[in-house]
Amino acid sequence: MTNRADFTDEEWTRLERAPLVAGLAISLADPGGPIELTKESVASLKTIVEAAQTGGQGELVDAVTKDTVAKTQHHENPLSGFKPKGALAGEQILDELRAVNELVSAKATAEDAESFRKLLLTAAQRAAEAAKEGGFLGFHAVRVSEGEQQMLDKLGEVLSAPAG
């Protein structure tokens, strides 16, 4: 069982923002307009809220999601302190999620680490499915664009369980 006491404050902050960072990866993979960005962000946040409300996804996921929801209810930005910039933003996001995966792999139980990885991938998948991409006036638009699918594949690699 893994809980808040197993991590430093800085590490816990990284865990709290990780599901939103996973959703942000999708938004940057195939940038749309402000409506698409909003839908994708809301989908990531809904994933966190649902996990916090339902619980039962492991002690780590339950604790992180509840703390993240509490932050948002107090109008604190869970992404505070993480500002990927420029052309390298996608790589910075992947690096952040890779570091988070290494962190949970090192400090959490195998079951809690796997549940946390699943949360991140679910947040990204829901963000990808939140808004149709491409097309014209909705015609020939797709639910998940090629760029988003490529990012989902990269996230799957980055968030895989370490060998060994």
Side-chain angles (χ1 to χ4, degrees):
M1 297 175 83
T2 312
N3 59 41
R4 171 72 180 88
D6 296 312
F7 299 92
T8 67
D9 289 343
E10 180 185 331
E11 291 168 340
W12 195 254
T13 298
R14 291 179 102 173
L15 296 181
E16 288 176 327
R17 72 180 173 219
L20 295 170
V21 171
L24 184 59
I26 299 302
S27 296
L28 289 177
D30 191 359
I35 294 171
E36 289 86 359
L37 177 62
T38 300
K39 286 181 177 181
E40 291 164 351
S41 298
V42 167
S44 296
L45 188 55
K46 277 186 176 180
T47 302
I48 297 166
V49 170
E50 288 171 9
Q53 289 174 342
T54 59
Q57 295 183 39
E59 190 172 352
L60 179 61
V61 169
D62 292 351
V64 168
T65 56
K66 285 177 183 171
D67 281 2
T68 305
V69 168
K71 264 189 175 177
T72 60
Q73 289 173 338
H74 289 98
H75 303 286
E76 295 177 44
N77 181 359
L79 285 171
S80 180
F82 181 72
K83 296 177 178 33
K85 295 179 183 142
L88 297 177
E91 282 304 314
Q92 292 169 353
I93 287 171
L94 290 174
D95 288 345
E96 174 71 7
L97 293 173
R98 189 175 291 111
V100 165
N101 187 36
E102 290 170 5
L103 180 63
V104 296
S105 296
K107 291 194 167 191
T109 65
E111 296 81 18
D112 280 338
E114 188 57 36
S115 293
F116 196 77
R117 288 184 200 98
K118 184 177 177 185
L119 173 70
L120 300 182
L121 292 171
T122 299
Q125 183 69 44
R126 288 185 177 174
E129 294 170 353
K132 289 187 176 181
E133 305 288 338
F136 178 73
L137 297 176
F139 295 102
H140 304 292
V142 294
R143 183 56 66 192
V144 178
S145 72
E146 185 177 326
E148 291 171 334
Q149 187 58 55
Q150 289 173 353
M151 181 56 78
L152 287 169
D153 294 342
K154 286 181 187 176
L155 290 173
E157 293 170 17
V158 165
L159 297 173
S160 63

